[in-house]
């Protein structure tokens, strides 16, 4: 907006920025607050005085905490690590991927870097600080109560690692299958103007509106008895679908299909049709054109759609809680179960720690893929 | 593209959707008219208890489920017509409630109270989400270029968070003497228990939903604001339009297609309200239609699931969404035809 006539009075600017600050506070507060609570003993976590929740006097007195020097050094190290990740890591990755394909080098480089950072922060720094703290007098005394006990209880004693592994199996499966199937369909729909294609899209939109409980009531009886009605075909080895992660993957892929094909179609519409037509003139078949010309340029759209498939599978409660047994439970229904039992205050904080554990990967996801998520949200809306 | 190539490209996706969406729909419809139950037989059993003078024996008629050759409980499926629907909507109680004109009686029937909540929830949160989203979009559009990125990042957090966890995180702020309850008590100077009565839980569910979905509306509106025609705005200024008039007559009409898009998506998603009930443990006070189906699908004390009633409630839920979406969709359809 260059025009001077559009300039706004001070009061309006202050009002709008004030509202924005308020919104940011409201948006972030619950998430930050449960993260703070998860590190305190129940007495502190549910205290009515916010400062006691933040500083955790009960936690500090009974378990331990952080001194000023701990906090300063910790933050400094974290800041250096993040800076290095932004400034130094991309160059290093590019160096080891001469042909310009940065996918796998990023995966390896990023993984190694993340592990090294974690080791520095969790092992090396605390070890150094136990030596340093007693030497520094008042700077070295604990001021902030902090305990990682609830995380240990959740991940080690309660076997949350198994739920995490199940979540990973289900989400990876859903993302892979749904992208493979959806990409083909999205491309086909984008390059066809037949009546069938139009009606397919309309039907997909109708399916998009279906409440998931409707579908689950359709599956449940058949999933439980699948060993019986599959017996004539597979004999005694007929599988029971109920409780199997791969059955859940199939269900979630199907539920996600309408959304996936709409989104991918809108991305494919943005790739000019002249591109594959040129390849076809040069003698490629439709599949050849797809593989040689479209696949190399489709990744931004596919990654964005993959993010949303990931979110659907990761966040799902209804389907996974009804169709999986306790053995194969994913994280979200597991935490709801943990929480619905008669709970003591310490169970409650453990549930909070589990909730923060579930949220942390999503936080990183937004941090890394913010642009893709925004483009995905607007893809359907702006392009119709 | 030839029909055959098109079929191969679209085939796997269509196959998945037919097998896992269309087929279950048909089976739900079928299930809602049938009931599968164990077959019972009546047997005479003699129960003897050792008494003082020899044992005392009584004979009783007992019902027990029949077993098949493999030792499994034998079941039979019978056509019951609309019985399952009657079990869900409970027409007798409905009639008495209406005859007595008692709203409270009506709300004691689970289906009708679920329908009431689902509809109020869907309709009430719609303007709140659109309004909040638009306000944030206008404010972000107005602010410094440098802080737009971080603001969008923070705004995405409520949207991206797992719904159950998001609801739980807000619940934890209020739980027991949680800081927000304590803050409200201090402010209003009275005792507050947020989870003791239905209306406070309901209020929190509305607030949670707006918090959760407003970022989506914001991002969509924000993208729309980037394409507002500057010439039109300047022309409006020359014509002496005030700031409010420019918003009302230039910007909002420009965003209208997005409003329709968001309305459709919101109607679909809010009608499915479910995770809030889990997160706020609201099922004793307030339930939604999806929750009703979910409850029927859960195992009861004897390990049985009310599949038939769940199917009936699912079909009714579907009829509801069809009516709800029918109105705006028909408008969109007519406009598309007209243009």
């Amino acid at each position: 907006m260059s025009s001077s006539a559009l300039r706004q009075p001070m009061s309006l600017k202050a009002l709008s920025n004030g509202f924005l600050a308020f919104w940011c506070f409201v948006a972030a507060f619950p998430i930050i607050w449960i993260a703070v609570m998860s590190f305190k003993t129940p007495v502190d976590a549910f205290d009515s005085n916010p400062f006691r929740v933040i500083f955790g006097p009960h936690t500090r007195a009974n378990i331990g905490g952080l001194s000023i020097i701990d906090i300063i050094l910790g933050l400094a190290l974290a800041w250096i690590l993040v800076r290095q990740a932004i400034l130094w890591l991309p160059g290093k990755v590019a160096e080891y991927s001469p042909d310009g394909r940065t996918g796998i080098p990023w995966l390896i480089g990023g993984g190694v870097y993340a592990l090294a950072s974690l080791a520095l922060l969790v092992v090396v720094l605390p070890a150094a600080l136990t030596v340093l703290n007693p030497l520094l007098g008042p700077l070295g005394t604990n001021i902030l109560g902090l305990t990682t006990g609830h995380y240990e209880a959740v991940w080690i004693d309660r076997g949350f690692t198994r739920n995490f592994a199940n979540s990973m199996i289900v989400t990876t499966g859903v993302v892979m299958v749904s992208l493979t199937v959806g990409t083909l369909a999205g491309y086909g729909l984008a390059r066809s103007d037949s009546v069938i294609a139009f009606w397919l899209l309309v039907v997909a939109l109708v399916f998009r509106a279906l409440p998931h409980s409707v579908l689950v009531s359709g599956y449940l009886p058949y999933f439980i008895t699948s060993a019986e009605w599959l017996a004539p075909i597979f004999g005694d080895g007929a599988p029971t679908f109920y409780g199997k992660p791969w059955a859940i993957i199939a269900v979630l892929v199907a539920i996600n299909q309408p959304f996936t094909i709409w989104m991918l179609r809108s991305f494919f519409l943005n790739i000019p049709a002249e591109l594959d037509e040129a390849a076809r003139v040069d003698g490629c078949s439709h599949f050849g054109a797809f593989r040689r010309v479209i696949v190399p340029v489709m990744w931004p759209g596919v990654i964005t759609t993959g993010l949303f498939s990931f979110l659907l599978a990761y966040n799902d409660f209804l389907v996974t809680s009804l169709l999986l047994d306790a053995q194969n439970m994913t994280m979200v229904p597991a935490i709801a179960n943990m929480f619905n039992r008669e709970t003591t205050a310490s169970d409650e904080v453990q549930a909070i720690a589990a909730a923060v554990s579930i949220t942390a990967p999503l936080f990183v996801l937004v941090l890394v893929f913010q642009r893709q998520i925004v483009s995905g949200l607007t893809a359907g809306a702006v392009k119709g | 593209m030839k029909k055959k190539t098109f079929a191969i490209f679209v085939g796997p996706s269509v196959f998945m959707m037919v097998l896992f969406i269309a087929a279950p729909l048909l089976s739900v419809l079928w299930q809602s008219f049938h009931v599968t139950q164990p077959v019972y037989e009546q047997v005479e059993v003699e129960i003897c208890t050792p008494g003082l003078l020899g044992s005392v024996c009584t004979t009783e008629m007992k019902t027990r489920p029949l077993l098949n050759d493999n030792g499994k409980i034998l079941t039979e499926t019978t056509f019951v017509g609309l019985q399952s629907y009657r079990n869900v909507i409970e027409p007798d109680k409905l009639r008495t409630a209406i005859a007595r004109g008692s709203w409270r009686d009506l709300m004691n029937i689970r289906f009708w109270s679920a329908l009431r909540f689902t509809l109020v929830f869907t309709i009430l949160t719609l303007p709140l989400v659109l309004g909040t989203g638009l306000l944030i979009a206008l404010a972000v559009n107005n602010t410094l270029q440098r802080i737009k990125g971080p603001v969008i990042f923070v705004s995405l957090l409520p949207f991206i968070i797992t719904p159950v966890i998001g609801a739980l995180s807000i619940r934890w702020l209020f739980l027991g003497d949680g800081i927000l309850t304590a803050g409200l008590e201090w402010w209003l100077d009275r005792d507050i228990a947020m989870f003791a009565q239905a209306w406070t839980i309901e209020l929190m569910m509305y607030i949670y939903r707006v918090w959760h979905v407003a970022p989506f509306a914001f991002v969509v509106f924000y993208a729309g604001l980037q394409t507002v025609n500057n010439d039109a705005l300047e022309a409006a200024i020359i014509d002496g339009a005030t700031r409010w008039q420019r918003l009302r007559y230039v910007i909002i009409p420009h965003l209208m297609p997005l409003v329709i898009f968001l309305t459709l998506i919101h109607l679909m998603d809010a009608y499915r309200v479910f995770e809030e009930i889990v997160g706020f443990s609201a099922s004793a006070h307030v339930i939604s239609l999806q929750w009703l189906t979910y409850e029927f699908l859960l195992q009861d004390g004897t390990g049985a699931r009310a599949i038939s009633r769940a199917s009936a409630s699912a079909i009714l839920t579907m009829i509801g969404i069809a009516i709800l979406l029918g109105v705006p969709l028909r408008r969109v359809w007519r406009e598309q035809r007209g243009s």
Side-chain angles (χ1 to χ4, degrees):
Chain A
M1 299 240 177
S2 53
S3 166
S4 62
L6 289 176
R7 202 171 290 153
Q8 295 170 327
M10 240 7 226
S11 58
L12 189 68
K13 266 196 173 153
L15 192 72
S16 115
N17 282 326
F19 172 74
L20 208 56
F22 172 71
W23 159 250
C24 286
F25 176 75
V26 170
F29 179 73
I31 300 168
I32 293 172
W33 200 254
I34 60 166
V36 171
M37 281 166 91
S38 70
F39 286 106
K40 311 290 156 155
T41 56
V43 177
D44 285 332
F46 288 104
D47 202 297
S48 54
N49 180 348
F51 292 104
R52 292 177 78 88
V53 182
I54 295 173
F55 290 107
H58 181 266
T59 317
R60 190 185 62 207
N62 289 290
I63 296 170
L66 295 175
S67 65
I68 295 178
I69 205 80
D70 288 336
I71 297 169
I72 293 173
L73 284 182
L75 286 179
L77 184 63
W79 190 73
I80 292 170
L81 286 171
V82 170
R83 242 186 111 70
Q84 288 296 313
I86 295 169
L87 296 176
W88 172 80
L89 196 60
K92 228 30 186 178
V93 168
E95 201 176 296
Y96 284 98
S97 44
D99 56 349
R101 288 167 180 244
T102 52
I104 292 167
W106 258 120
L107 222 56
I108 299 171
V112 170
Y113 189 84
L115 280 180
S117 313
L118 205 65
L120 269 179
L121 272 174
V122 179
V123 183
V124 178
L125 186 69
L129 284 169
T130 33
V131 181
L132 211 59
N133 267 332
L135 303 175
L136 285 166
L139 282 182
T141 44
N142 293 340
I143 55 148
L144 196 71
L146 182 119
T147 168
T148 52
H150 304 300
Y151 285 93
E152 283 158 25
V154 165
W155 283 90
I156 299 166
D157 305 340
R158 282 181 180 251
F160 210 58
T161 32
R162 204 185 51 216
N163 300 126
F164 178 77
N166 291 331
S167 274
M168 286 302 111
I169 293 171
V170 170
T171 45
T172 323
V174 170
V175 171
M176 301 289 230
V177 180
S178 124
L179 284 185
T180 315
V181 175
T183 308
L184 289 174
Y187 175 72
L189 289 168
R191 290 293 183 266
S192 165
D193 44 14
S194 65
V195 187
I196 306 173
F198 170 77
W199 281 109
L200 257 178
L201 285 166
V202 172
V203 170
L205 198 64
V206 172
F207 284 166
R208 160 80 172 74
L210 287 179
H212 298 169
S213 63
V214 175
L215 300 173
V216 177
S217 2
Y219 307 133
L220 197 58
Y222 295 97
F223 272 34
I224 293 172
T225 60
S226 71
E228 283 167 36
W229 56 264
L230 281 176
I233 311 170
F234 294 102
D236 288 340
T240 301
F241 291 167
Y242 178 76
K244 297 290 186 300
W246 51 260
I248 291 295
I249 292 175
V251 167
L252 286 176
V253 165
I255 289 180
N256 204 14
Q257 249 338 270
F259 171 79
T260 312
I261 58 178
W262 265 91
M263 195 168 204
L264 281 167
R265 172 180 168 270
S266 86
F267 279 114
F268 280 122
L269 281 179
N270 274 355
I271 300 176
E274 287 79 24
L275 215 60
D276 30 328
E277 269 158 26
R280 302 242 295 133
V281 170
D282 289 347
C284 274
S285 66
H286 253 297
F287 295 97
F290 178 70
R291 198 167 60 84
R292 285 164 207 272
V293 182
I294 300 297
V295 170
V297 296
M298 72 179 185
W299 292 110
V302 171
I303 288 173
T304 304
T305 315
L307 282 171
F308 285 89
S309 299
F310 172 86
L311 282 178
L312 174 108
Y314 191 84
N315 288 345
D316 178 83
F317 173 83
L318 201 150
V319 177
T320 42
S321 76
L322 280 173
L323 295 182
L324 284 175
D325 48 22
Q327 207 93 76
N328 292 311
M329 212 45 118
T330 51
M331 290 196 284
V332 179
I335 183 184
N337 283 350
M338 180 187 292
F339 171 78
N340 274 339
R341 272 186 242 129
E342 277 307 307
T343 47
T344 62
S346 125
D347 286 339
E348 197 82 50
V349 187
Q350 284 178 16
I352 297 180
V356 176
S357 310
I358 295 176
T359 311
L362 294 176
F363 188 83
V364 176
L365 200 77
V366 188
L367 207 59
V368 177
F369 293 109
Q370 179 177 336
R371 202 143 38 95
Q372 281 82 352
I373 293 172
V374 170
S375 83
L377 290 180
T378 51
V382 181
K383 288 154 209 151
Chain B
M1 193 181 272
K2 271 195 219 116
K3 270 220 176 87
K4 205 175 144 199
T5 7
F6 177 70
I8 295 173
F9 270 114
V10 185
S13 174
V14 171
F15 174 75
M16 294 292 281
M17 285 196 282
V18 167
L19 192 63
F20 287 104
I21 300 182
L25 278 185
L26 292 180
S27 106
V28 167
L29 191 65
W30 188 85
Q31 283 166 19
S32 69
F33 295 113
H34 293 78
V35 169
T36 304
Q37 277 173 326
V39 188
Y40 289 100
E41 59 174 352
Q42 292 242 325
V43 281
E44 209 168 280
V45 245
E46 197 177 28
I47 301 168
C48 295
T49 38
L52 208 56
L53 309 160
S55 50
V56 183
C57 288
T58 49
T59 51
E60 257 176 30
M61 292 299 283
K62 271 207 160 175
T63 49
R64 66 171 184 210
L66 268 175
L67 302 183
N68 68 2
D69 304 339
N70 303 329
K72 283 202 173 161
I73 295 173
L74 209 62
T75 57
E76 66 174 353
T77 304
T78 43
F79 177 78
V80 292
L82 291 172
Q83 189 53 47
S84 293
Y85 289 91
R86 266 182 234 125
N87 289 341
V88 172
I89 60 176
E90 307 189 52
D92 299 339
K93 281 196 194 171
L94 175 66
R95 234 170 276 137
T96 27
I98 292 175
R100 292 171 54 190
S102 161
W103 179 253
R104 181 190 293 264
D105 281 2
L106 187 64
M107 286 304 108
N108 277 337
I109 312 174
R110 277 182 96 66
F111 173 78
W112 295 103
S113 91
L115 181 69
R116 199 275 313 163
F117 170 69
T118 309
L119 289 181
V120 172
F121 182 85
T122 310
I123 307 293
L124 211 63
T125 48
L126 175 64
L128 291 176
V129 165
L130 290 177
T132 317
L134 183 62
L135 276 182
I136 303 169
L138 288 171
V140 170
N141 203 30
N142 227 351
T143 197
L144 298 171
Q145 194 62 37
R146 207 147 26 97
I147 62 168
K148 279 180 184 170
V151 167
I152 293 175
F153 170 74
V154 173
S155 302
L156 281 177
L157 290 177
F159 174 71
I160 215 97
I161 195 172
T162 311
V164 175
I165 305 292
L168 279 174
S169 72
I170 290 186
R171 178 197 154 97
W172 280 319
L173 299 182
F174 286 100
L175 199 67
D177 235 0
I179 52 153
L180 287 192
T181 307
L184 275 179
E185 281 177 346
W186 173 78
W187 186 43
L188 300 174
D189 199 22
R190 51 181 285 195
D191 242 10
I192 292 174
M194 287 303 268
F195 298 98
Q197 57 277 319
W199 73 268
T200 40
I201 298 180
E202 220 176 298
L203 185 70
M204 279 203 295
M205 288 200 252
Y206 298 140
I207 294 173
Y208 163 74
R209 182 53 75 125
V210 174
W211 178 75
H212 178 55
V213 209
F216 174 51
F218 147 60
V219 169
V220 170
F221 280 139
Y222 180 64
L225 284 179
Q226 307 313 305
T227 58
V228 170
N229 190 346
N230 257 349
D231 295 342
L233 274 182
E234 275 167 26
I237 292 167
I238 293 167
D239 289 348
T242 62
R243 205 172 295 285
W244 167 249
Q245 284 170 329
R246 266 176 274 152
L247 180 67
R248 176 72 189 75
Y249 296 108
V250 181
I251 296 176
I252 293 190
H254 175 77
L255 296 178
M256 219 42 209
L258 300 181
V259 172
I260 291 172
F261 165 78
L262 286 169
T263 303
L264 285 178
I265 297 283
H266 183 83
L267 289 181
M268 288 182 196
D269 289 348
Y271 187 79
R272 291 200 281 229
V273 49
F274 173 76
E275 272 96 348
E276 281 91 339
I277 315 259
V278 180
F280 289 117
S281 303
S283 56
H285 300 283
V286 191
I287 61 166
S288 70
L289 286 173
Q290 272 227 102
W291 177 271
L292 189 70
T293 312
Y294 176 80
E295 221 172 46
F296 286 133
L297 286 175
L298 287 178
Q299 283 179 313
D300 62 14
T302 63
R305 299 169 199 264
I307 299 285
S308 181
R309 255 176 294 163
S311 304
S313 122
I315 295 286
L316 292 171
T317 311
M318 246 166 50
I319 294 173
I321 186 74
I323 295 172
L324 201 63
L325 283 179
V327 182
L329 270 183
R330 259 186 55 190
R331 235 188 93 186
V332 173
W333 183 264
R334 277 210 205 113
E335 276 167 14
Q336 292 278 329
R337 278 260 177 104
S339 66

